[in-house]
Amino acid sequence: MTELYTEGAPIRDEKAPDGPIAERWDKRRFSARLVNPANRRKLSIIIVGTGLAGASAAATLGEAGYNIKSFCYQDSPRRAHSIAAQGGINAAKNYRNDGDSIYRLFYDTVKGGDYRARESNVYRLAQVSVEIIDQCVAQGVPFAREYGGLLDNRSFGGVQVSRTFYARGQTGQQLLLGAYQALERQVAAGTVEMYTRHEMLDLIVVDGRARGIIVRDMVTGEIETHFADAVVLATGGYGNVFFLSTNAMGSNVTAIWRAHRKGAFFANPCFTQIHPTCIPVSGTYQSKLTLMSESLRNDGRIWVPKKKGDTRDPRDIPEEERDYYLERMYPAFGNLVPRDIASRAAKRVCDEGRGVGPGGLGVYLDFADAIKRMGRDAVEAKYGNLFDMYERITGENPYEVPMRIYPAVHYTMGGLWVDYDLQSTIPGLFVIGEANFSDHGANRLGASALMQGLADGYFVLPNTINDYLADGPFEKIDENHPEVKEAVEGVRARLEKLLSINGSRTVDSFHRELGKIMWDYCGMERTEEGLRKAITLIRELRDEFWRDVKVTGVNEELNQTLERAHRVADFMELAELMCIDALHRRESCGGHFRAESQTEDGEALRHDDEFAYVAAWEFTGVGEPPVLHKEALEYEYVEMKQRSYK
């Protein structure tokens, strides 16, 4: 295996404070150098991405007085993929008086991540969570409320308390509108300059510091350079490497991959999350999958027939012939086990031949008991928009017939390596939200993505980036600087190469084939043999892509084929690194399940003596062995043990 990578020096988080864990965030905020209000007006920051992390960071830093340039490839910041989040956002408010606390949220998140996240970062996230809700309520986010007017909560997977705040099944949309209005206020005030329909194609690094980005105007094709004292990437995850995922069609890895190629380490790329409740694949014509919120597992019961190949109408299958397998296998948590466990359990029963629907790739999510217990009106009030969406897509009425669900790629816990300040290995490059690796370990708990995005944007980054900017403003640079010219020429040459190949295969055909390789060999279950085969297949496919892809049109126009081509080219390189990372980690943990490492009853088996570290990968060239840098994970406050939700 060592022929696939080399091992370099270990890496440490030099910014992480010591002392009692509850005091570390306050200690870091105090020790970080400040920038006075007058000096902030002399400093500039580029923020790429306008989802919850990017929009909240731009709004907060703009209000603080910095000069912000904000970029998104959508036609409006409101269209960022955060808008698709459904179920809710976690916070340790303990409004239900059910035993919740900051420490319990911290513990649940570390345990849910299968003990592969940093304690300090996770505890800070739990601390900040309580402030997020107050911020959003002040913005007017219409969280669900109880009859008496108090904010309501519901439960999500991997916990035994109710800490999830929600706005029906459209929490992401409502939170993004809150962040968007804060962002637009700063646009109107002149502190934020907004660039829509601009896609980042490379990072500008001068004298070892991140100093700007190269973007393509997606309407005219013009290549532009933009400079700043610091760059923030808030560009989301890379789940679309699998082709079929719950991500928006435009979601891609290009921004963080280009930064990786310039020297930013990529951490734990193989840690991808398979969400257990998605509408099953219905045919090869599909280009994306649709999520059904995890909140549905609060009241819906998951089951399959006890008999193999039972094709009866689910309403005709009597209770004694149903297997409520999560309730049977995990009685303490039932249908609310973490996502990785629920997904693998669904795969297992389908592999046994007890799956339902076309191809036997589905399980039932049944609301009959909930409707009987609460009444249809109450169920409709909680989940109505989700039920409507399901019926529009499948043509089946979930009030009358159980939903059919199956796991699908949803979220990526891996991302660019960052320290406690959210700064990457390139000075001046900060990475927030799903684009970094920092908080979720090997498996993210439901309703924690929105929490991390807003924590990073509203509260963490504005209190850490000042320590770096205290040394600014840095030397002015322009497009005539040699390193800038070299980067621009590289971008132009790549686009021209893609346009000049004029092969016989479409971009989508390559992407679909890559996605199938990744799903088959680096998906829910991975083996050494399969991963080695995947690496060979990916390399062959990448070579064929650069020989035979057909990209129509020209650069100097709206050209969506060209956009997709350069994104897929980056996915081709990322896919190889994901498989190398998965191959080197010879253990099962969270979303990374190695068939060779499981307990007698099929649960994930970690090897803490060998793999209790963050794998931070250094780029050395396309097809060249990457360098592995290990960051040891040390646990003082949570005991490392095999997870049990039974």
Side-chain angles (χ1 to χ4, degrees), residues 40 43-48 54 57-71 183 186-187 190-195 228 232 465 469:
R40 290 176 205 157
L43 293 161
S44 57
I45 304 170
I46 285 171
I47 300 178
V48 186
T60 308
L61 293 168
E63 188 156 11
Y66 297 103
N67 298 296
I68 309 297
K69 284 185 176 183
S70 176
F71 293 83
L183 172 63
Q186 294 310 310
V187 171
T191 63
V192 176
E193 204 176 338
M194 190 72 233
Y195 292 84
V232 179
I465 197 170
L469 291 173

Side-chain angles (χ1 to χ4, degrees), residues 137-159:
V137 169
Q139 288 175 337
V141 173
F143 286 123
R145 294 179 180 267
E146 295 175 327
Y147 182 75
L150 300 175
L151 293 178
D152 196 15
N153 292 116
R154 56 188 176 200
S155 298
F156 259 60
V159 303

Side-chain angles (χ1 to χ4, degrees), residues 89-382:
I89 177 170
N90 288 328
K93 286 285 200 182
N94 195 30
Y95 283 168
R96 287 292 184 90
N97 198 26
D98 56 1
D100 200 10
S101 63
I102 287 171
Y103 192 89
R104 188 176 295 280
L105 175 52
F106 156 68
Y107 172 82
D108 286 344
T109 305
V110 170
K111 178 185 175 185
D114 219 353
Y115 306 92
R116 292 293 177 263
R118 295 179 185 145
E119 280 191 329
S120 293
N121 289 57
V122 176
Y123 196 91
R124 174 176 67 187
L125 180 64
Q127 283 177 297
V128 169
S129 72
V130 298
E131 300 173 44
I132 296 170
I133 302 303
D134 297 339
Q135 167 90 358
C136 295
V137 169
Q139 288 175 337
V141 173
F143 286 123
R145 294 179 180 267
E146 295 175 327
Y147 182 75
L150 300 175
L151 293 178
D152 196 15
N153 292 116
R154 56 188 176 200
S155 298
F156 259 60
V159 303
Q160 293 176 303
V161 297
S162 294
R163 65 162 70 102
T164 305
F165 295 77
Y166 64 98
R168 246 181 143 197
Q170 48 186 248
T171 314
Q173 180 179 8
Q174 300 305 326
L175 291 171
L176 186 59
L177 289 173
Y180 168 73
Q181 69 189 21
L183 172 63
E184 288 300 306
R185 178 169 171 264
Q186 294 310 310
V187 171
T191 63
V192 176
E193 204 176 338
M194 190 72 233
Y195 292 84
T196 59
R197 308 300 296 278
H198 282 70
E199 182 164 22
M200 174 179 160
L201 295 185
D202 212 345
L203 179 73
I204 294 171
V205 179
V206 175
D207 298 329
R209 295 179 187 269
R211 292 301 312 274
I213 60 173
I214 300 170
V215 297
R216 179 177 179 271
D217 183 320
M218 295 163 69
V219 178
T220 67
E222 185 181 352
I223 304 301
E224 303 173 6
T225 52
H226 295 266
F227 304 102
D229 295 298
V231 177
V232 179
L233 299 184
T235 51
Y238 48 89
N240 276 348
V241 69
F242 290 88
F243 186 69
L244 287 177
S245 82
T246 66
N247 287 186
M249 291 289 290
S251 296
N252 64 82
V253 74
T254 291
I256 60 172
W257 189 255
R258 295 282 116 191
H260 174 57
R261 288 179 60 123
K262 283 291 177 75
F265 290 1
F266 206 121
N268 301 335
C270 79
F271 285 170
T272 51
Q273 179 162 86
I274 315 290
H275 197 292
T277 53
C278 300
I279 297 177
V281 177
S282 57
T284 55
Y285 55 83
Q286 270 184 276
S287 54
K288 83 175 296 294
L289 297 174
T290 304
L291 174 72
M292 295 273 66
S293 170
E294 182 167 319
S295 62
L296 295 168
R297 290 199 272 150
N298 271 274
D299 293 301
R301 298 180 71 195
I302 295 172
W303 64 277
V304 291
K306 287 184 177 177
K307 280 193 311 188
K308 289 183 182 180
D310 192 334
T311 57
R312 286 179 289 176
D313 185 308
R315 293 166 292 188
D316 295 337
I317 299 177
E319 198 71 16
E320 62 272 13
E321 294 180 35
R322 301 179 177 189
D323 180 12
Y324 294 92
Y325 58 90
L326 290 177
E327 297 173 28
R328 169 175 58 80
M329 295 162 67
Y330 308 102
F333 283 74
N335 294 298
L336 285 173
V337 292
R339 291 174 175 178
D340 58 319
I341 289 174
S343 294
R344 282 199 298 275
K347 181 181 186 298
R348 198 177 308 149
V349 296
C350 291
D351 289 348
E352 291 169 3
R354 297 192 287 141
V356 301
L361 293 177
V363 300
Y364 289 125
L365 179 59
D366 197 337
F367 283 84
D369 284 357
I371 291 170
K372 197 178 194 178
R373 184 179 75 251
M374 301 158 56
R376 175 169 168 153
D377 288 349
V379 171
E380 196 167 341
K382 288 174 84 170

Side-chain angles (χ1 to χ4, degrees), residues 481-550:
H481 191 286
E483 291 184 71
V484 178
K485 288 168 85 169
E486 184 184 344
V488 172
E489 285 164 12
V491 168
R492 290 189 191 282
R494 191 163 186 260
L495 294 175
E496 287 165 11
K497 168 72 172 166
L498 286 166
L499 287 161
S500 69
I501 297 168
N502 197 27
S504 62
R505 287 187 61 179
T506 64
V507 175
D508 280 1
S509 74
F510 280 107
H511 194 182
R512 188 183 293 276
E513 188 175 339
L514 175 68
K516 183 164 181 8
I517 294 169
M518 292 301 289
W519 178 253
D520 288 348
Y521 301 113
C522 196
M524 269 197 283
E525 187 173 298
R526 302 151 184 195
T527 65
E528 177 161 350
E529 181 187 2
L531 289 163
R532 286 187 177 278
K533 182 177 180 181
I535 292 166
T536 301
L537 292 172
I538 290 163
R539 288 174 174 173
E540 291 171 355
L541 186 66
R542 187 170 64 224
D543 289 344
E544 186 184 350
F545 175 88
W546 285 104
R547 280 196 320 270
D548 197 32
V549 70
K550 186 174 187 66

Side-chain angles (χ1 to χ4, degrees), residues 73-90:
Y73 66 76
Q74 298 90 348
D75 57 359
S76 164
R78 285 196 311 263
R79 292 186 183 273
H81 184 57
S82 299
I83 204 166
Q86 297 171 357
I89 177 170
N90 288 328

